[in-house]
Amino acid sequence: MNDLLSQRHTTAHPVFRVELEQAAFNHGYRKANGIADGWLWFKSDEGVPGEVALASGINEDGSPWFLAVEHAGVAVKLAEELGDALVTPPPAQFKIAFAFADQAALRKALSRAFHLARSLPTFPLAQYESEVAGLGDTEVERIVKERVGQGYFRRALLDFWDGRCPVTGITDEPLLRASHIVPWAKCRSDEERLDVFNGLLLAVHWDAAFDSGLVSFDDEGRALVKPALSDAALQLLVPEGAQLISLNDAHRRQLTWHREHFGFR
């Protein structure tokens, strides 16, 4: 991959244009939005924010594949996950570009970009507000609003965490819970309630312990546990060699509330 990092000129080679268009369509970017400087531009037809650009290049190293993303939040997260694939400069207004040795890796990154863009603020909030726009403030309507909001929040967390509990690695969706850090009822606004950074996708036993304040996380993503936990519970929740979870500053701000609320020192 290091040989690709020096790549500066890319072309949407005619041989590969169909493959690029199919990759975009199959991974959420179904609306072509032109071509510039050899890059094919696409956007979502579902209103998911941020464009992507795709290109293929022919050089002595073979046929690398390129992805550029416009969404700033997606750019930051993908850079964390795909740092060794980074190439510069990206085209036009795009924030970052990546190079891949094969089409399968490009497709995987493209899918990840779409799911991240669908989860990040403020797209879930916009979807929620559109769906509940006609509801009032009766008790029944508040219950309906919360149910709708929790549904969008869960999907956002599944997208952001790539369908995996960051603590246990469990990917069985029925065993995963959308855990608010600051609970729904204590949030100051719908924006906070639907903010993907106010949540963690946790396996059911971790969700129960987190919601009860028996466990939390420090700013490095290390699990914190209350001394009241039994040895059996501790071994189940935080086995030897447990990994840190990946957090950003927005997570850390919310976790500060969680630690203070439940008395972690």
Side-chain angles (χ1 to χ4, degrees):
M1 187 64 68
N2 288 337
D3 290 338
L4 300 179
L5 300 183
S6 61
Q7 185 81 10
R8 289 295 179 269
H9 177 67
T10 60
T11 58
H13 195 278
V15 174
F16 300 115
R17 180 165 180 166
V18 171
E19 283 89 339
L20 294 173
E21 290 171 342
Q22 289 176 343
F25 185 88
N26 290 338
H27 296 290
Y29 295 97
R30 296 176 178 171
K31 191 170 183 179
N33 203 34
I35 182 171
D37 299 325
W39 293 80
L40 300 173
W41 293 24
F42 301 91
K43 59 184 178 180
S44 166
D45 61 355
E46 301 176 19
V48 174
E51 291 183 276
V52 297
L54 302 177
S56 61
I58 302 296
N59 63 19
E60 62 184 9
D61 298 315
S63 303
W65 302 83
F66 298 88
L67 164 67
V69 297
E70 179 191 27
H71 192 298
V74 173
V76 170
K77 186 63 175 172
L78 277 183
E80 293 176 1
E81 299 177 2
L82 302 173
D84 65 340
L86 182 64
V87 294
T88 56
Q93 79 269 21
F94 291 85
K95 301 296 188 297
I96 202 167
F98 303 91
F100 305 94
D102 56 67
Q103 188 181 159
L106 168 73
R107 286 175 173 267
K108 182 176 180 181
L110 184 58
S111 175
R112 185 70 177 128
F114 176 78
H115 285 92
L116 284 171
R118 194 170 67 172
S119 72
L120 292 171
T122 55
F123 185 66
L125 175 65
Q127 292 180 298
Y128 165 76
E129 289 179 335
S130 176
E131 184 163 342
V132 304
L135 296 178
D137 199 39
T138 67
E139 182 177 356
V140 171
E141 288 169 315
R142 287 195 297 271
I143 292 172
V144 172
K145 286 180 180 179
E146 181 171 353
R147 185 179 300 118
V148 170
Q150 293 282 10
Y152 282 117
F153 184 68
R154 175 176 173 81
R155 189 176 81 168
L157 287 178
L158 285 166
D159 281 337
F160 183 84
W161 293 103
D162 202 17
R164 179 183 301 272
C165 170
V167 184
T168 66
I170 288 174
T171 58
D172 305 75
E173 194 168 321
L175 299 179
L176 298 174
R177 298 290 182 269
S179 300
H180 274 88
I181 299 174
V182 177
W184 179 279
K186 294 185 180 296
C187 288
R188 295 161 293 183
S189 65
D190 286 338
E191 183 176 2
E192 186 176 19
R193 293 183 181 102
L194 275 293
D195 188 349
V196 71
F197 296 118
N198 184 36
L200 300 168
L201 186 68
L202 298 176
V204 288
H205 59 303
W206 251 96
D207 170 67
F210 186 77
D211 190 55
S212 301
L214 294 172
V215 295
S216 190
F217 297 94
D218 66 17
D219 284 346
E220 302 303 316
R222 184 180 298 104
L224 304 173
V225 299
K226 286 290 184 67
L229 281 172
S230 67
D231 290 342
L234 183 61
Q235 181 58 32
L236 176 65
L237 291 165
V238 192
E240 186 176 350
Q243 302 295 306
L244 303 179
I245 68 170
S246 176
L247 301 172
N248 67 17
D249 287 342
H251 286 122
R252 294 182 183 101
R253 286 192 293 271
Q254 301 299 84
L255 284 167
T256 296
W257 179 94
H258 189 269
R259 292 192 300 266
E260 291 177 353
H261 181 76
F262 287 107
F264 283 89
R265 295 290 183 264

